Amino acid sequence: PPLGYIRNLIAGMQEGLLELAPDAQFMGSYGVTATFESGYEVMQSILEEDVDFDIVLSLSDATSFGAIQALEEAGIPPSDVAIFSVNGEMLAQRYIRNGYYLRATVEIPTSELAHVSVGAAIKLLGDGTLPQTIVLSRGQVFTPEMLEVSPQD
């Protein structure tokens, strides 16, 4: 995704957290790609640096899954860390339902995003102009309440 999109996503996640927890302190922002491996490596690094944290804001469910693997290997229980993520993948929904590290994930309307992106590219190729901002519909937010919490698997 474009850097501007990522910056806006990060800013939105931080603003949302501060609305709910005004005293929250951000311990760092870590450059990751949206992959399991990247999430795993960054979380291992954070754990090795002995950073004190209890919330993770992740830019993708895949990155969250890697971070969860590192947390599991370090013996850190799901009750000690709350992860909030983006994509709304089925595995993320199951983790949320079971209270397994993930507390919420936001589904991105990918088909709408793809449609808008291709339309924008075609306009630009035809020497058209684009509006300054393109608004997408709001994605579904998956929380334990929304998914009906069930006992852990």
Side-chain angles (χ1 to χ4, degrees), residues 93-113:
Q93 292 177 42
R94 189 171 83 214
Y95 282 1
I96 292 164
R97 188 178 303 109
N98 295 333
Y100 195 67
Y101 294 102
L102 275 163
R103 302 299 185 264
T105 185
V106 179
E107 180 181 50
I108 300 295
T110 53
S111 61
E112 181 182 1
L113 182 59

Side-chain angles (χ1 to χ4, degrees), residues 6 18 22 26 40 44 50 55 59 61 86 92-93 97 101 114 121 126 132 145-146 151-152:
I6 292 171
L18 289 173
F26 295 97
Y40 179 81
Q44 277 190 317
D50 202 28
I55 293 177
L59 295 178
D61 289 341
V86 175
Q93 292 177 42
R97 188 178 303 109
Y101 294 102
Q132 190 101 31
E145 297 77 21
M146 188 264 186
Q152 267 190 308

Side-chain angles (χ1 to χ4, degrees), residues 39-52:
Y40 179 81
E41 290 169 7
V42 167
M43 183 54 71
Q44 277 190 317
S45 174
I46 291 168
L47 294 171
E48 288 171 5
E49 293 171 12
D50 202 28
V51 176
D52 185 26

